[in-house]
């Protein structure tokens, strides 16, 4: 089955700097790659996603890149703000009615 | 957008009792519901996949007789934790999909077994 690896497990950045979180996946059939932000005790919140027919997607300060050949995808947050501090999860699925498989998460701390 | 309502949001139960968690899709028909468990400072781990009207498929290591899943309609799926023990204390969260790559999460249930 699918295996998703995520790095780093923790990340501290100064306010205004960029943050990059990387994930790799094992199943070449995976075609949907969302990123979630989760605050303590709450549901994961979708912040951006990308499908396998696209190499890059951007939404304001957040961007995701996908390299299908290498089977890895990354989340880029620019101009970080203290409210970006949270746990971020990458995930992958092969679509249809199949489940998301999550990475282990990255705890991002943005220091003011 | 699609909404999944999950109840209760938190529950405390005594060891040996059973607890039922409900997830309802409010404005769409959820052909498939996924149940995840999340321990503190860990990731979401898939417990089982259920399709309306059929038996759930459990992940390896998840006891199907302990975690009973019912998906009797396209808008309701339930997870019953039977004979709960302290090690079952966790955050349980459902996720529904209509297919097509979109997933909607419930708000989660914090279960504490004392």
């Amino acid at each position: 089955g699918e295996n998703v690896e995520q790095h780093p497990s923790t990340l501290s950045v100064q306010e205004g700097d960029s943050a990059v979180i990387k994930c790799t996946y094992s199943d070449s059939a995976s075609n949907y790659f969302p990123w979630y932000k989760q605050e303590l005790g709450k549901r994961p919140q979708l912040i951006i996603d990308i499908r396998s027919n696209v190499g890059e997607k951007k939404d304001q300060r957040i961007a995701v890149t996908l390299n299908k050949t290498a089977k890895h995808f990354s989340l880029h947050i620019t101009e970080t703000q203290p409210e970006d501090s949270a746990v971020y999860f990458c995930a992958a699925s092969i679509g249809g009615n199949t489940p998301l498989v999550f990475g282990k998460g990255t705890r991002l701390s943005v220091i003011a | 957008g699609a909404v999944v309502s999950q109840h209760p949001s938190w529950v405390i139960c005594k060891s040996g009792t059973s607890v039922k968690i409900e997830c309802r899709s409010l404005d769409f028909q959820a052909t498939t519901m996924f149940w995840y468990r999340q321990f503190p400072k860990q990731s979401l781990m898939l417990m089982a996949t259920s399709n309306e009207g059929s038996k759930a498929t459990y992940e390896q290591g998840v006891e199907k007789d302990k975690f009973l899943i019912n998906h009797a309609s396209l808008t309701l799926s339930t997870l019953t934790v039977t004979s709960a023990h302290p090690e079952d204390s966790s955050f349980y969260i459902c996720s529904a999909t209509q297919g097509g790559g979109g997933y909607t999460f419930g708000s989660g249930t914090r279960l504490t077994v004392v």
Side-chain angles (χ1 to χ4, degrees):
Chain A
E2 174 67 282
N3 182 50
V4 178
E5 298 283 342
Q6 182 172 347
H7 299 279
S9 56
T10 60
L11 179 60
S12 292
V13 298
Q14 291 291 130
E15 182 179 1
D17 288 350
S18 296
V20 180
I21 304 171
K22 299 182 178 182
C23 288
T24 61
Y25 61 98
S26 61
D27 191 340
S28 57
S30 289
N31 58 21
Y32 178 64
F33 307 93
W35 285 89
Y36 292 91
K37 177 183 182 182
Q38 188 181 32
E39 297 179 357
L40 190 62
K42 296 188 176 181
R43 79 185 86 196
Q45 174 192 356
L46 178 68
I47 55 172
I48 197 167
D49 58 7
I50 192 167
R51 298 186 185 273
S52 59
N53 58 346
V54 176
E56 183 174 358
K57 184 176 179 181
K58 188 175 181 180
D59 182 5
Q60 299 182 357
R61 297 187 296 110
I62 296 173
V64 57
T65 59
L66 171 65
N67 183 324
K68 286 170 52 181
T69 304
K71 289 190 280 190
H72 67 69
F73 56 113
S74 300
L75 176 71
H76 303 252
I77 306 175
T78 58
E79 301 173 27
T80 54
Q81 301 166 2
E83 50 266 37
D84 294 329
S85 297
V87 179
Y88 292 81
F89 291 98
C90 62
S93 85
I94 62 173
N97 291 330
T98 63
L100 287 169
V101 177
F102 286 85
K104 291 191 182 302
T106 297
R107 181 170 299 277
L108 174 64
S109 298
V110 180
I111 304 165
Chain B
V3 176
V4 172
S5 175
Q6 183 171 347
H7 294 281
S9 56
W10 61 271
V11 58
I12 301 173
C13 71
K14 291 185 177 180
S15 187
T17 62
S18 296
V19 173
K20 180 184 284 188
I21 301 169
E22 290 190 353
C23 277
R24 294 181 183 271
S25 54
L26 299 185
D27 49 4
F28 68 101
Q29 293 184 327
T31 53
T32 305
M33 191 77 78
F34 308 104
W35 287 93
Y36 292 86
R37 178 167 54 182
Q38 187 177 29
F39 291 109
K41 297 187 178 182
Q42 294 189 22
S43 186
L44 288 81
M45 297 302 296
L46 181 68
M47 298 175 67
T49 299
S50 72
N51 293 293
E52 183 264 340
S54 62
K55 289 184 178 180
T57 302
Y58 291 82
E59 295 299 298
Q60 192 173 8
V62 178
E63 300 174 57
K64 64 178 181 180
D65 294 329
K66 180 172 183 61
F67 299 98
L68 302 179
I69 291 172
N70 185 286
H71 194 164
S73 77
L74 285 171
T75 59
L76 175 63
S77 179
T78 62
L79 167 67
T80 301
V81 182
T82 63
S83 187
H85 288 95
E87 57 265 32
D88 298 322
S89 298
S90 188
F91 187 63
Y92 293 86
I93 190 164
C94 62
S95 174
T97 181
Q98 299 169 273
Y103 299 84
T104 303
F105 285 87
S107 54
T109 297
R110 170 73 57 195
L111 170 64
T112 301
V113 184
V114 297

